[in-house]
Amino acid sequence: MAKIRPSQGAPYARIMGVGGYRPTRVVPNEVILETIDSSDEWIRSRSGIATRHWASDEETVAMMSIEASGKAIADAGITPEQIGGVIVSTVSHFKQTPAVATEIADRIGAGKPAAFDISAGCAGFGYGLTLAKGMVVEGSADYVLVIGVERLSDLTDLEDRATAFLFGDGAGAVVVGPSQEPEIGPTVWGSEGDKSNTITQTVPWDDYRDGRPEKFPALTQEGQAVFRWAVFEMAKIAQQALDAAGITSADLDVFIPHQANMRIIDSMVKTLKLPEHVTVARDVETTGNTSAASIPLAMERLLATGQAKSGDTALVIGFGAGLVYAATVVTLP
């Protein structure tokens, strides 16, 4: 029997660079109030959101990804030709095939990398990061570009009082490359498919074959059920990620949860009993919930504003539709 040659990858992997893109249009709560019966005070108290960004026709999923990717590649200090893999997490690229990752790879000048899309909702960045780490350590790519990107304004029902104020658009990207030290910890990830109806699309695409539905598909959720799950169950997953990395909350410098809702973030901080010295990402206030893009966008802002610095130890956790989740500890680039 022939023996297969073992993989010749790096000992470990790390995040080398990060970049983000926020659409130019800033949408305050007052615009949302034009179509729902609510108030600015109610929206802020329920979600912590004051503004969000909505994309123009020109700010496509591909365009926003390319802008974020260029920044991440420059931050990593490599060239596009060195990228051996492009992973895009999104639920708002409306062309079933081909994957938007292939278009992005070509337009950034990456050559002929492995390129594919994944759909893991708000946990998508964590899923992509884990796959990229595996590719680098396995040796199938030296550098992998991981992108989280959404145009959730396309999937928002502006007449739905429960969700109209939540979602925003944007793209975040990181470059994952080789490391001599473990700088991306073990991932704690999974799914709870029995709860899949708590966050879902209102109308499946195949309904359009037999007649146009009254409304375009939109995202809907059971708010209280999602809140309870995120606060209590995801705090447990976050703790498991700390345990898997061999550290405690006292060792953390930064906490970057999915930017779903300020109340969820604050409740998780309390449940995890994070020390006061830990910087907590609260990008949701001005960016809204951007699903797969929220963690890299929040990461970039913390580094750009000096609230976090290169070398900091950060706990990242994403959770959302599926219901799916992914948490890991990383060293910031």
Side-chain angles (χ1 to χ4, degrees):
M1 180 182 292
K3 292 186 177 180
I4 298 174
R5 181 181 297 170
S7 301
Q8 300 294 318
Y12 305 102
R14 65 188 177 105
I15 299 175
M16 299 178 59
V18 59
Y21 180 84
R22 291 174 170 82
T24 55
R25 182 187 178 193
V26 177
V27 179
N29 287 339
E30 285 72 20
V31 172
I32 307 299
L33 296 174
E34 293 174 3
T35 52
I36 61 171
D37 180 15
S38 187
S39 68
D40 178 66
E41 181 183 2
W42 186 88
I43 293 174
R44 289 174 186 257
S45 66
R46 298 284 292 184
S47 67
I49 298 172
T51 61
R52 73 284 292 146
H53 295 256
W54 283 355
S56 66
D57 290 344
E58 292 75 26
E59 291 169 317
T60 64
V61 164
M63 177 271 188
M64 293 190 292
S65 297
I66 290 165
E67 291 293 323
S69 297
K71 296 175 184 178
I73 291 168
D75 192 42
I78 65 170
T79 64
E81 293 83 1
Q82 292 176 275
I83 297 292
V86 177
I87 303 171
V88 178
S89 178
T90 184
V91 299
S92 48
H93 174 57
F94 291 161
K95 185 179 287 186
Q96 194 73 36
T97 193
V100 72
T102 59
E103 176 187 351
I104 294 165
D106 176 64
R107 290 175 60 184
I108 65 173
K112 299 180 180 179
F116 56 95
D117 298 350
I118 60 174
S119 176
C122 305
F125 175 75
Y127 275 53
L129 184 65
T130 303
L131 294 172
K133 170 187 172 183
M135 292 167 71
V136 171
V137 173
E138 188 264 346
S140 62
D142 291 330
Y143 303 98
V144 181
L145 182 64
V146 180
I147 303 166
V149 57
E150 302 291 3
R151 275 181 54 119
L152 294 183
S153 57
D154 291 334
L155 288 168
T156 299
D157 181 353
L158 294 178
E159 297 178 351
D160 180 0
R161 189 173 185 271
T163 62
F165 57 90
L166 287 175
F167 302 118
D169 303 336
V174 300
V175 172
V176 176
S179 175
Q180 295 302 308
E181 300 291 336
E183 298 189 43
I184 301 175
T187 300
V188 178
W189 56 354
S191 64
E192 298 185 30
D194 61 316
K195 301 179 180 66
S196 61
N197 286 334
T198 56
I199 306 175
T200 188
Q201 182 174 306
T202 53
V203 182
W205 298 116
D206 57 5
D207 274 15
Y208 279 80
R209 283 192 303 220
D210 301 321
R212 193 176 187 87
E214 184 178 340
K215 281 189 174 183
F216 191 76
L219 297 175
T220 184
Q221 68 175 19
E222 298 175 13
Q224 287 302 313
V226 172
F227 180 87
R228 288 191 297 270
W229 176 78
V231 170
F232 298 109
E233 297 304 317
M234 291 305 98
K236 297 175 187 176
I237 298 301
Q239 184 60 55
Q240 290 177 31
L242 291 174
D243 296 341
I247 67 172
T248 69
S249 59
D251 300 314
L252 281 179
D253 301 302
V254 184
F255 178 45
I256 311 178
H258 164 49
Q259 302 294 293
N261 179 307
M262 195 75 78
R263 291 172 62 212
I264 290 175
I265 294 170
D266 290 341
S267 295
M268 289 184 71
V269 169
K270 184 177 180 180
T271 303
L272 286 167
K273 299 179 180 178
L274 294 185
E276 289 188 7
H277 75 263
V278 177
T279 297
V280 179
R282 292 189 171 87
D283 193 45
V284 67
E285 180 180 4
T286 56
T287 307
N289 180 342
T290 56
S291 189
S294 77
I295 290 175
L297 278 174
M299 183 184 294
E300 185 211 34
R301 176 162 281 174
L302 289 176
L303 290 167
T305 58
Q307 297 176 73
K309 63 184 184 301
S310 175
D312 278 353
T313 299
L315 169 63
V316 299
I317 179 169
F319 44 86
L323 293 171
V324 295
Y325 54 86
T328 188
V329 175
V330 303
T331 300
L332 295 182

Short mmCIF file of all heavy atoms in Angstrom, two decimals, residues 109-167:
data_model
loop_
_atom_site.label_atom_id
_atom_site.label_comp_id
_atom_site.label_asym_id
_atom_site.label_seq_id
_atom_site.Cartn_x
_atom_site.Cartn_y
_atom_site.Cartn_z
N GLY A 109 -6.47 40.63 -7.97
CA GLY A 109 -5.21 40.18 -8.56
C GLY A 109 -4.55 39.05 -7.81
O GLY A 109 -3.32 38.94 -7.76
N ALA A 110 -5.37 38.16 -7.26
CA ALA A 110 -4.83 37.06 -6.45
C ALA A 110 -4.36 35.87 -7.26
O ALA A 110 -3.86 34.90 -6.70
CB ALA A 110 -5.87 36.60 -5.44
N GLY A 111 -4.51 35.90 -8.57
CA GLY A 111 -4.08 34.76 -9.37
C GLY A 111 -5.15 33.69 -9.43
O GLY A 111 -6.28 33.95 -9.82
N LYS A 112 -4.80 32.46 -9.03
CA LYS A 112 -5.73 31.34 -9.11
C LYS A 112 -5.85 30.63 -7.76
O LYS A 112 -5.57 29.44 -7.63
CB LYS A 112 -5.27 30.35 -10.18
CG LYS A 112 -5.20 30.95 -11.59
CD LYS A 112 -4.74 29.92 -12.60
CE LYS A 112 -4.68 30.52 -14.01
NZ LYS A 112 -4.21 29.53 -15.02
N PRO A 113 -6.30 31.35 -6.73
CA PRO A 113 -6.43 30.72 -5.41
C PRO A 113 -7.67 29.85 -5.32
O PRO A 113 -8.60 29.98 -6.13
CB PRO A 113 -6.56 31.92 -4.48
CG PRO A 113 -7.28 32.93 -5.33
CD PRO A 113 -6.74 32.74 -6.72
N ALA A 114 -7.71 28.98 -4.33
CA ALA A 114 -8.98 28.34 -3.96
C ALA A 114 -9.92 29.45 -3.53
O ALA A 114 -9.53 30.36 -2.80
CB ALA A 114 -8.76 27.36 -2.81
N ALA A 115 -11.16 29.42 -3.99
CA ALA A 115 -12.09 30.50 -3.69
C ALA A 115 -13.49 29.94 -3.56
O ALA A 115 -13.98 29.27 -4.47
CB ALA A 115 -12.05 31.58 -4.79
N PHE A 116 -14.14 30.24 -2.44
CA PHE A 116 -15.49 29.72 -2.22
C PHE A 116 -16.23 30.55 -1.19
O PHE A 116 -15.62 31.27 -0.39
CB PHE A 116 -15.44 28.25 -1.76
CG PHE A 116 -14.60 28.00 -0.52
CD1 PHE A 116 -15.19 27.97 0.73
CD2 PHE A 116 -13.23 27.77 -0.64
CE1 PHE A 116 -14.42 27.72 1.87
CE2 PHE A 116 -12.46 27.53 0.50
CZ PHE A 116 -13.06 27.50 1.75
N ASP A 117 -17.56 30.47 -1.25
CA ASP A 117 -18.44 31.15 -0.29
C ASP A 117 -18.93 30.16 0.75
O ASP A 117 -19.06 28.95 0.48
CB ASP A 117 -19.67 31.73 -0.99
CG ASP A 117 -19.32 32.79 -2.03
OD1 ASP A 117 -18.15 33.21 -2.10
OD2 ASP A 117 -20.24 33.18 -2.78
N ILE A 118 -19.22 30.66 1.94
CA ILE A 118 -19.87 29.85 2.97
C ILE A 118 -21.07 30.63 3.51
O ILE A 118 -21.11 31.85 3.45
CB ILE A 118 -18.92 29.48 4.12
CG1 ILE A 118 -18.37 30.75 4.82
CG2 ILE A 118 -17.79 28.60 3.63
CD1 ILE A 118 -17.53 30.44 6.05
N SER A 119 -22.05 29.90 4.01
CA SER A 119 -23.23 30.52 4.61
C SER A 119 -23.37 30.01 6.04
O SER A 119 -23.79 28.88 6.27
CB SER A 119 -24.49 30.14 3.80
OG SER A 119 -25.65 30.66 4.43
N ALA A 120 -22.95 30.85 6.98
CA ALA A 120 -23.06 30.49 8.39
C ALA A 120 -23.56 31.67 9.19
O ALA A 120 -23.24 31.81 10.38
CB ALA A 120 -21.72 30.00 8.92
N GLY A 121 -24.33 32.53 8.53
CA GLY A 121 -24.94 33.66 9.23
C GLY A 121 -23.93 34.50 9.99
O GLY A 121 -22.82 34.76 9.52
N CYS A 122 -24.32 34.88 11.19
CA CYS A 122 -23.49 35.77 12.00
C CYS A 122 -22.28 35.07 12.60
O CYS A 122 -21.41 35.73 13.18
CB CYS A 122 -24.34 36.39 13.11
SG CYS A 122 -25.82 37.23 12.48
N ALA A 123 -22.20 33.75 12.47
CA ALA A 123 -21.02 33.01 12.90
C ALA A 123 -20.06 32.79 11.75
O ALA A 123 -19.02 32.15 11.91
CB ALA A 123 -21.44 31.66 13.49
N GLY A 124 -20.39 33.34 10.57
CA GLY A 124 -19.64 33.04 9.37
C GLY A 124 -18.18 33.43 9.42
O GLY A 124 -17.32 32.73 8.86
N PHE A 125 -17.85 34.55 10.08
CA PHE A 125 -16.44 34.94 10.16
C PHE A 125 -15.64 33.89 10.94
O PHE A 125 -14.54 33.51 10.53
CB PHE A 125 -16.28 36.31 10.82
CG PHE A 125 -14.85 36.69 11.03
CD1 PHE A 125 -14.07 37.09 9.96
CD2 PHE A 125 -14.27 36.64 12.29
CE1 PHE A 125 -12.72 37.43 10.14
CE2 PHE A 125 -12.94 36.97 12.48
CZ PHE A 125 -12.16 37.37 11.41
N GLY A 126 -16.19 33.41 12.04
CA GLY A 126 -15.50 32.39 12.83
C GLY A 126 -15.32 31.09 12.06
O GLY A 126 -14.27 30.44 12.15
N TYR A 127 -16.33 30.73 11.27
CA TYR A 127 -16.22 29.53 10.44
C TYR A 127 -15.11 29.71 9.40
O TYR A 127 -14.27 28.83 9.19
CB TYR A 127 -17.55 29.25 9.74
CG TYR A 127 -18.54 28.46 10.56
CD1 TYR A 127 -18.90 28.88 11.85
CD2 TYR A 127 -19.12 27.31 10.06
CE1 TYR A 127 -19.81 28.16 12.60
CE2 TYR A 127 -20.04 26.58 10.81
CZ TYR A 127 -20.39 27.00 12.08
OH TYR A 127 -21.27 26.28 12.83
N GLY A 128 -15.10 30.88 8.74
CA GLY A 128 -14.09 31.14 7.73
C GLY A 128 -12.69 31.19 8.31
O GLY A 128 -11.73 30.67 7.71
N LEU A 129 -12.55 31.79 9.49
CA LEU A 129 -11.26 31.88 10.15
C LEU A 129 -10.72 30.49 10.47
O LEU A 129 -9.52 30.20 10.29
CB LEU A 129 -11.40 32.70 11.43
CG LEU A 129 -10.12 32.98 12.22
CD1 LEU A 129 -9.17 33.86 11.42
CD2 LEU A 129 -10.47 33.64 13.56
N THR A 130 -11.59 29.62 10.92
CA THR A 130 -11.18 28.25 11.26
C THR A 130 -10.76 27.48 10.02
O THR A 130 -9.75 26.74 10.04
CB THR A 130 -12.34 27.52 11.97
OG1 THR A 130 -12.71 28.28 13.13
CG2 THR A 130 -11.93 26.13 12.41
N LEU A 131 -11.50 27.63 8.93
CA LEU A 131 -11.13 26.97 7.68
C LEU A 131 -9.78 27.49 7.17
O LEU A 131 -8.94 26.73 6.70
CB LEU A 131 -12.21 27.17 6.63
CG LEU A 131 -13.56 26.52 6.91
CD1 LEU A 131 -14.59 26.98 5.89
CD2 LEU A 131 -13.45 25.00 6.90
N ALA A 132 -9.58 28.80 7.27
CA ALA A 132 -8.33 29.41 6.81
C ALA A 132 -7.15 28.91 7.63
O ALA A 132 -6.07 28.60 7.08
CB ALA A 132 -8.43 30.93 6.89
N LYS A 133 -7.32 28.83 8.92
CA LYS A 133 -6.27 28.30 9.79
C LYS A 133 -5.90 26.89 9.36
O LYS A 133 -4.71 26.55 9.26
CB LYS A 133 -6.78 28.30 11.24
CG LYS A 133 -5.88 27.57 12.23
CD LYS A 133 -6.56 27.48 13.60
CE LYS A 133 -5.79 26.60 14.55
NZ LYS A 133 -6.48 26.45 15.86
N GLY A 134 -6.90 26.06 9.08
CA GLY A 134 -6.63 24.70 8.64
C GLY A 134 -5.86 24.64 7.33
O GLY A 134 -4.97 23.81 7.16
N MET A 135 -6.19 25.54 6.41
CA MET A 135 -5.51 25.57 5.12
C MET A 135 -4.03 25.93 5.27
O MET A 135 -3.16 25.34 4.62
CB MET A 135 -6.20 26.56 4.18
CG MET A 135 -7.60 26.12 3.76
SD MET A 135 -8.56 27.44 2.95
CE MET A 135 -7.71 27.59 1.38
N VAL A 136 -3.75 26.90 6.15
CA VAL A 136 -2.37 27.32 6.36
C VAL A 136 -1.56 26.23 7.06
O VAL A 136 -0.43 25.91 6.66
CB VAL A 136 -2.33 28.64 7.17
CG1 VAL A 136 -0.90 28.98 7.60
CG2 VAL A 136 -2.92 29.77 6.36
N VAL A 137 -2.13 25.63 8.09
CA VAL A 137 -1.42 24.59 8.83
C VAL A 137 -1.29 23.32 8.00
O VAL A 137 -0.26 22.64 8.05
CB VAL A 137 -2.15 24.31 10.17
CG1 VAL A 137 -1.54 23.11 10.88
CG2 VAL A 137 -2.09 25.54 11.07
N GLU A 138 -2.29 23.02 7.20
CA GLU A 138 -2.25 21.83 6.34
C GLU A 138 -1.29 22.02 5.18
O GLU A 138 -0.76 21.04 4.63
CB GLU A 138 -3.67 21.57 5.82
CG GLU A 138 -3.85 20.27 5.06
CD GLU A 138 -3.75 20.46 3.55
OE1 GLU A 138 -3.81 21.61 3.09
OE2 GLU A 138 -3.59 19.44 2.85
N GLY A 139 -1.07 23.27 4.79
CA GLY A 139 -0.10 23.55 3.74
C GLY A 139 -0.68 23.76 2.37
O GLY A 139 0.06 23.88 1.39
N SER A 140 -2.00 23.84 2.24
CA SER A 140 -2.61 24.04 0.92
C SER A 140 -2.59 25.50 0.49
O SER A 140 -2.87 25.81 -0.66
CB SER A 140 -4.04 23.49 0.89
OG SER A 140 -4.86 24.18 1.81
N ALA A 141 -2.28 26.41 1.42
CA ALA A 141 -2.16 27.83 1.09
C ALA A 141 -1.25 28.49 2.12
O ALA A 141 -1.30 28.16 3.31
CB ALA A 141 -3.52 28.52 1.09
N ASP A 142 -0.40 29.41 1.65
CA ASP A 142 0.45 30.15 2.58
C ASP A 142 -0.33 31.26 3.26
O ASP A 142 -0.13 31.53 4.45
CB ASP A 142 1.65 30.74 1.84
CG ASP A 142 2.62 29.67 1.35
OD1 ASP A 142 2.73 28.62 2.01
OD2 ASP A 142 3.27 29.90 0.31
N TYR A 143 -1.19 31.93 2.47
CA TYR A 143 -1.97 33.05 3.00
C TYR A 143 -3.41 32.91 2.51
O TYR A 143 -3.65 32.64 1.33
CB TYR A 143 -1.39 34.39 2.54
CG TYR A 143 0.06 34.57 2.94
CD1 TYR A 143 1.07 34.30 2.02
CD2 TYR A 143 0.40 35.00 4.22
CE1 TYR A 143 2.41 34.46 2.37
CE2 TYR A 143 1.72 35.15 4.57
CZ TYR A 143 2.72 34.88 3.66
OH TYR A 143 4.04 35.02 4.02
N VAL A 144 -4.35 33.11 3.42
CA VAL A 144 -5.77 32.98 3.09
C VAL A 144 -6.48 34.26 3.48
O VAL A 144 -6.31 34.78 4.60
CB VAL A 144 -6.41 31.78 3.81
CG1 VAL A 144 -7.88 31.66 3.43
CG2 VAL A 144 -5.67 30.49 3.47
N LEU A 145 -7.29 34.76 2.56
CA LEU A 145 -8.11 35.95 2.79
C LEU A 145 -9.49 35.50 3.26
O LEU A 145 -10.16 34.72 2.58
CB LEU A 145 -8.21 36.74 1.50
CG LEU A 145 -9.00 38.06 1.50
CD1 LEU A 145 -8.33 39.09 2.41
CD2 LEU A 145 -9.11 38.60 0.08
N VAL A 146 -9.90 35.98 4.43
CA VAL A 146 -11.22 35.65 4.98
C VAL A 146 -12.05 36.93 5.00
O VAL A 146 -11.65 37.93 5.60
CB VAL A 146 -11.12 35.07 6.40
CG1 VAL A 146 -12.52 34.75 6.95
CG2 VAL A 146 -10.24 33.84 6.41
N ILE A 147 -13.22 36.89 4.35
CA ILE A 147 -14.07 38.07 4.23
C ILE A 147 -15.45 37.78 4.81
O ILE A 147 -16.05 36.74 4.53
CB ILE A 147 -14.24 38.47 2.75
CG1 ILE A 147 -12.88 38.73 2.09
CG2 ILE A 147 -15.14 39.70 2.62
CD1 ILE A 147 -12.93 38.78 0.58
N GLY A 148 -15.94 38.70 5.63
CA GLY A 148 -17.33 38.68 6.04
C GLY A 148 -17.99 39.91 5.42
O GLY A 148 -17.52 41.03 5.62
N VAL A 149 -19.06 39.71 4.66
CA VAL A 149 -19.65 40.83 3.93
C VAL A 149 -21.16 40.67 3.86
O VAL A 149 -21.66 39.56 3.66
CB VAL A 149 -19.06 40.96 2.51
CG1 VAL A 149 -19.24 39.67 1.71
CG2 VAL A 149 -19.64 42.15 1.75
N GLU A 150 -21.88 41.76 4.04
CA GLU A 150 -23.34 41.72 3.95
C GLU A 150 -23.91 43.02 3.40
O GLU A 150 -23.38 44.11 3.67
CB GLU A 150 -23.97 41.47 5.32
CG GLU A 150 -23.54 40.21 6.04
CD GLU A 150 -24.01 38.91 5.40
OE1 GLU A 150 -24.65 38.95 4.33
OE2 GLU A 150 -23.73 37.86 5.99
N ARG A 151 -25.00 42.85 2.63
CA ARG A 151 -25.90 43.96 2.27
C ARG A 151 -27.26 43.61 2.85
O ARG A 151 -28.21 43.30 2.13
CB ARG A 151 -25.99 44.11 0.74
CG ARG A 151 -24.89 44.96 0.12
CD ARG A 151 -25.08 45.07 -1.37
NE ARG A 151 -26.41 45.55 -1.73
CZ ARG A 151 -26.66 46.67 -2.40
NH1 ARG A 151 -25.66 47.45 -2.78
NH2 ARG A 151 -27.88 47.02 -2.70
N LEU A 152 -27.36 43.66 4.16
CA LEU A 152 -28.60 43.23 4.82
C LEU A 152 -29.74 44.21 4.60
O LEU A 152 -30.90 43.87 4.85
CB LEU A 152 -28.35 43.03 6.32
CG LEU A 152 -27.40 41.87 6.67
CD1 LEU A 152 -27.31 41.72 8.19
CD2 LEU A 152 -27.84 40.56 6.03
N SER A 153 -29.43 45.42 4.13
CA SER A 153 -30.51 46.35 3.79
C SER A 153 -31.39 45.76 2.68
O SER A 153 -32.58 46.11 2.58
CB SER A 153 -29.94 47.70 3.35
OG SER A 153 -29.06 47.56 2.24
N ASP A 154 -30.82 44.86 1.87
CA ASP A 154 -31.61 44.20 0.83
C ASP A 154 -32.57 43.16 1.40
O ASP A 154 -33.51 42.74 0.71
CB ASP A 154 -30.68 43.49 -0.17
CG ASP A 154 -29.87 44.47 -1.01
OD1 ASP A 154 -30.34 45.61 -1.20
OD2 ASP A 154 -28.78 44.09 -1.47
N LEU A 155 -32.33 42.73 2.63
CA LEU A 155 -33.14 41.68 3.25
C LEU A 155 -33.86 42.20 4.49
O LEU A 155 -34.23 41.41 5.37
CB LEU A 155 -32.26 40.48 3.62
CG LEU A 155 -31.76 39.63 2.45
CD1 LEU A 155 -30.68 38.67 2.92
CD2 LEU A 155 -32.93 38.85 1.83
N THR A 156 -34.06 43.51 4.55
CA THR A 156 -34.72 44.11 5.70
C THR A 156 -36.14 44.54 5.34
O THR A 156 -36.34 45.24 4.35
CB THR A 156 -33.93 45.34 6.21
OG1 THR A 156 -32.62 44.93 6.61
CG2 THR A 156 -34.64 45.99 7.39
N ASP A 157 -37.10 44.10 6.15
CA ASP A 157 -38.48 44.55 6.00
C ASP A 157 -38.63 45.83 6.82
O ASP A 157 -38.69 45.79 8.06
CB ASP A 157 -39.44 43.47 6.50
CG ASP A 157 -40.90 43.87 6.36
OD1 ASP A 157 -41.18 45.04 6.00
OD2 ASP A 157 -41.77 43.02 6.63
N LEU A 158 -38.68 46.96 6.16
CA LEU A 158 -38.71 48.24 6.85
C LEU A 158 -40.04 48.51 7.57
O LEU A 158 -40.17 49.51 8.28
CB LEU A 158 -38.43 49.37 5.86
CG LEU A 158 -37.02 49.37 5.28
CD1 LEU A 158 -36.84 50.50 4.29
CD2 LEU A 158 -35.98 49.49 6.39
N GLU A 159 -41.01 47.61 7.40
CA GLU A 159 -42.28 47.74 8.11
C GLU A 159 -42.38 46.78 9.30
O GLU A 159 -43.39 46.76 10.00
CB GLU A 159 -43.45 47.49 7.14
CG GLU A 159 -43.51 48.53 6.03
CD GLU A 159 -44.65 48.25 5.05
OE1 GLU A 159 -45.26 47.16 5.16
OE2 GLU A 159 -44.91 49.10 4.19
N ASP A 160 -41.32 45.99 9.50
CA ASP A 160 -41.30 45.04 10.62
C ASP A 160 -40.69 45.74 11.83
O ASP A 160 -39.48 45.98 11.90
CB ASP A 160 -40.48 43.81 10.25
CG ASP A 160 -40.42 42.78 11.37
OD1 ASP A 160 -41.02 43.02 12.45
OD2 ASP A 160 -39.76 41.74 11.18
N ARG A 161 -41.52 46.07 12.80
CA ARG A 161 -41.07 46.84 13.97
C ARG A 161 -40.00 46.12 14.76
O ARG A 161 -39.16 46.75 15.44
CB ARG A 161 -42.27 47.13 14.88
CG ARG A 161 -42.00 48.10 16.02
CD ARG A 161 -43.29 48.45 16.74
NE ARG A 161 -43.10 49.46 17.77
CZ ARG A 161 -42.78 49.18 19.03
NH1 ARG A 161 -42.65 47.91 19.41
NH2 ARG A 161 -42.63 50.15 19.91
N ALA A 162 -39.97 44.79 14.68
CA ALA A 162 -39.02 44.01 15.48
C ALA A 162 -37.62 43.96 14.88
O ALA A 162 -36.65 43.71 15.60
CB ALA A 162 -39.54 42.59 15.66
N THR A 163 -37.50 44.19 13.56
CA THR A 163 -36.19 44.01 12.92
C THR A 163 -35.75 45.18 12.05
O THR A 163 -34.58 45.25 11.66
CB THR A 163 -36.19 42.75 12.03
OG1 THR A 163 -37.18 42.91 10.99
CG2 THR A 163 -36.51 41.50 12.83
N ALA A 164 -36.63 46.10 11.73
CA ALA A 164 -36.31 47.15 10.75
C ALA A 164 -35.10 47.98 11.15
O ALA A 164 -34.37 48.48 10.28
CB ALA A 164 -37.52 48.07 10.57
N PHE A 165 -34.87 48.14 12.43
CA PHE A 165 -33.80 49.01 12.93
C PHE A 165 -32.47 48.29 13.13
O PHE A 165 -31.44 48.91 13.42
CB PHE A 165 -34.21 49.64 14.26
CG PHE A 165 -34.56 48.62 15.32
CD1 PHE A 165 -33.60 48.13 16.17
CD2 PHE A 165 -35.87 48.17 15.46
CE1 PHE A 165 -33.92 47.19 17.15
CE2 PHE A 165 -36.20 47.23 16.43
CZ PHE A 165 -35.23 46.74 17.27
N LEU A 166 -32.45 46.96 12.97
CA LEU A 166 -31.29 46.17 13.38
C LEU A 166 -30.13 46.16 12.40
O LEU A 166 -28.96 46.23 12.79
CB LEU A 166 -31.71 44.72 13.64
CG LEU A 166 -32.51 44.43 14.90
CD1 LEU A 166 -32.93 42.97 14.92
CD2 LEU A 166 -31.68 44.77 16.14
N PHE A 167 -30.43 46.05 11.11
CA PHE A 167 -29.40 45.59 10.17
C PHE A 167 -28.69 46.71 9.42
O PHE A 167 -29.28 47.73 9.08
CB PHE A 167 -30.03 44.62 9.18
CG PHE A 167 -30.66 43.43 9.84
CD1 PHE A 167 -32.04 43.18 9.70
CD2 PHE A 167 -29.92 42.57 10.61
CE1 PHE A 167 -32.63 42.10 10.31
CE2 PHE A 167 -30.51 41.48 11.23
CZ PHE A 167 -31.86 41.23 11.08
#
